């Protein structure tokens, strides 16, 4: 018997991050205002916490919910974050301004990066770091490596 079920559901990509957010309901609203997210689904627990939600940002899915420490899912803490979420978009300057207007904090202002991206970084009010970028120049891997090595040397 042949399986006719698609191994990756329609509308999803192979990689779909899941983040734990302390205050997930408020975060959903923030991601709508900051990044134009659209809620695909949401399941609340009996106590009103968000057990699982799926948002569409651009052409990708972000899964999230309130922390579930019993499953090892905890929100970022005061010590910093261990990851960042990258969004490629049509106009990084506009999306960056929209995110800051919605309440994100500037980590790195938008600038032209040696990789060929126009790039900036914000921190959302829930402790998650977001890298925002628009490709502005096609750069070969070798040229990008050379430019980034030069940039790193200048940072030292």
């Amino acid at each position: 018997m042949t399986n006719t079920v698609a191994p990756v559901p329609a509308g999803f990509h192979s990689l779909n991050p899941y983040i734990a957010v302390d205050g997930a309901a408020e975060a959903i609203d923030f991601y709508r205002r900051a990044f134009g997210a659209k809620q695909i689904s949401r399941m609340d627990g009996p106590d009103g916490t968000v057990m699982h939600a799926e948002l569409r940002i651009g052409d990708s899915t972000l899964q999230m919910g309130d922390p579930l420490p019993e499953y090892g899912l905890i929100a970022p803490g005061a010590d910093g974050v261990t990851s960042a979420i990258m969004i490629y978009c049509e106009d990084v300057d506009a999306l960056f301004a929209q995110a800051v207007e919605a309440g994100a904090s500037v980590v790195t202002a938008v600038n032209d990066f040696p990789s060929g991206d126009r790039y900036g970084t914000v921190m959302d009010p829930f402790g998650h770091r977001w890298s925002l970028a628009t490709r502005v120049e096609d750069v070969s891997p070798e040229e990008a490596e050379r430019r980034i090595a030069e940039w790193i040397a200048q940072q030292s």
Side-chain angles (χ1 to χ4, degrees):
M1 182 159 140
T2 305
N3 186 357
T4 59
V5 175
V8 177
F12 286 81
H13 296 284
S14 296
L15 184 65
N16 299 276
Y18 181 97
I19 57 174
V21 182
D22 193 14
E26 294 85 7
I28 291 169
D29 184 55
F30 172 80
Y31 297 146
R32 283 181 179 144
R33 291 181 287 115
F35 306 126
K38 295 182 178 28
Q39 183 175 300
I40 299 168
S41 67
R42 176 173 164 173
M43 293 174 273
D44 290 348
D47 61 355
T49 60
V50 177
M51 299 298 295
H52 182 86
E54 293 176 0
L55 306 178
R56 171 98 46 224
I57 299 175
D59 67 352
S60 299
T61 303
L62 174 68
Q63 300 179 15
M64 60 177 291
D66 278 292
L68 295 167
E70 62 273 23
Y71 294 102
L73 294 170
I74 59 173
D79 294 338
V81 298
T82 60
S83 62
I85 301 168
M86 177 80 166
I87 300 177
Y88 271 106
C89 60
E90 292 289 322
D91 183 347
V92 68
D93 293 280
L95 187 62
F96 190 89
Q98 182 177 313
V100 171
E101 175 68 25
S105 303
V106 175
V107 176
T108 306
V110 176
N111 63 81
D112 292 333
F113 197 71
S115 63
D117 291 336
R118 187 152 171 75
Y119 173 89
T121 308
V122 296
M123 186 74 73
D124 74 26
F126 307 94
H128 292 278
R129 185 176 172 131
W130 296 79
S131 300
L132 312 176
T134 299
R135 178 60 48 100
V136 294
E137 179 187 10
D138 287 326
V139 178
S140 71
E142 298 79 19
E143 178 63 10
E145 186 176 320
R146 184 195 68 74
R147 289 180 183 184
I148 293 170
E150 185 177 284
W151 177 80
I152 290 170
Q154 292 172 356
Q155 302 305 305
S156 302

